[in-house]
Amino acid sequence: MPELPEVETVRRSLEGRLVGARVIAVEVCRADVCVAPRGLSLSPRALLAGTTIERLDRRGKQLAIISREGPALCIHLGMSGQLFLAPGARRLPRDHVHVRWRLATLQGELVLAFRDPRRFGGVWSFRSFDELVRTRWASLGPDGVGLSAAHLRLVLAGTRRTLKAVLLDQRAVAGVGNIYADEALYRAGLAPARAACTLNRSEGSRLARAVREVLRLGIRRRGASVRDFVDADRRRGASQDHFKVYGRSRARCLGCLAPLRSQFVAQRTTVWCPVCQH
DNA sequence: AGGATAGCCTGCGGGC
DNA sequence: TGCCCGCAGGCTATCC
């Protein structure tokens, strides 16, 4: 369930040590989690072997590792993906590790591992970060952290879909998943099953602000460790201790004490307060 | 257009 | 203890 705050937490936990590191070697244990650049085969070079890491970027739930020499990777954690950084492979789990990068850094040799038991995630390779942005990220909406009221109102006005479906649609807003969708709707006081085009101007703005706020709070709390989420140093986040609605079906609303309701909306288990959200 | 459904995949918890 | 079942969920494809 890594959503935007979890991926940003991973990005931040990697950044300090990855930037400037030289990739000595890449070991692929499961080639089918990797996607080669368009028209090329999956070479070690395409997976950054021999390059130096220049910076990390993120859009929504997707992480980019960009080399100085050109090639760039896009890593999607899917449901259960993890990135670990450790002094040696012995310090890392061995099961479900699909790709390992050996890195030379100022602090000595490090190993970066991509682990993904459920394999909903993957590693996509591109000739350049520019190519990544123009192809893979072209279908993503604006990053949820900086979501503008104007953009969200425009999207909402153009569809009769439910609010929940719009928030989960990565083309509308990038980075919101089931957890932060429910939390944002609660914060905005809006019912998940409401048709998007019925929101007035102030409600649309309120929802945009709520999305930004729940994502920023999630980042500040270093992500939600609902099941197995941990950062690159295997530290858990604290966001799960602050959920107002997610996972609290039939518990009391923290605002009005009415029991929270749970129902399938947009094919996702959705929890909301029938009193506070309209 | 967009809703519903299935499929990908593993781990976990409940029921028996 | 062990087995089966359902559920969790990001994303894509397909059908209606």
Side-chain angles (χ1 to χ4, degrees), chain A residues 7-25:
Chain A
V7 178
E8 177 61 15
T9 299
V10 170
R11 194 192 70 76
R12 291 181 183 185
S13 66
L14 288 171
E15 192 170 41
R17 284 162 294 170
L18 281 198
V19 171
R22 184 155 186 84
V23 182
I24 303 168

Side-chain angles (χ1 to χ4, degrees), chain A residues 30 93-99 114-119:
Chain A
R30 266 203 89 105
R94 280 192 301 277
D95 60 329
H96 305 299
V97 170
H98 308 314
V99 187
F114 174 62
R115 178 175 187 265
D116 186 13
R118 264 163 267 189
R119 272 182 274 143

Side-chain angles (χ1 to χ4, degrees), chain A residues 207-222:
Chain A
L207 184 55
R209 174 198 287 256
V211 167
R212 294 192 304 267
E213 287 174 345
V214 297
L215 294 176
R216 284 180 185 163
L217 278 168
I219 293 170
R220 194 181 308 165
R221 291 168 177 147
R222 306 183 47 82

Side-chain angles (χ1 to χ4, degrees), chain A residues 176-267:
Chain A
V176 178
N178 201 38
I179 293 175
Y180 294 99
D182 282 8
E183 294 297 314
L185 287 164
Y186 176 79
R187 197 174 181 91
L190 296 167
R194 183 143 161 216
C197 59
T198 66
L199 263 60
N200 63 32
R201 190 183 165 85
S202 77
E203 288 171 324
S205 301
R206 220 161 71 208
L207 184 55
R209 174 198 287 256
V211 167
R212 294 192 304 267
E213 287 174 345
V214 297
L215 294 176
R216 284 180 185 163
L217 278 168
I219 293 170
R220 194 181 308 165
R221 291 168 177 147
R222 306 183 47 82
S225 294
V226 171
R227 262 203 180 75
D228 40 21
F229 171 75
V230 283
D231 71 8
D233 300 307
R234 304 170 81 174
R235 286 177 297 187
R236 292 166 53 81
S239 189
Q240 69 282 355
D241 302 333
H242 301 270
F243 290 157
K244 302 279 201 292
V245 284
Y246 179 83
R248 299 192 66 243
S249 176
R250 290 188 285 194
R252 288 182 182 281
C253 170
L254 298 170
C256 73
L257 302 183
L260 297 177
R261 278 185 62 188
S262 170
Q263 198 176 304
F264 245 52
V265 181
Q267 283 70 249

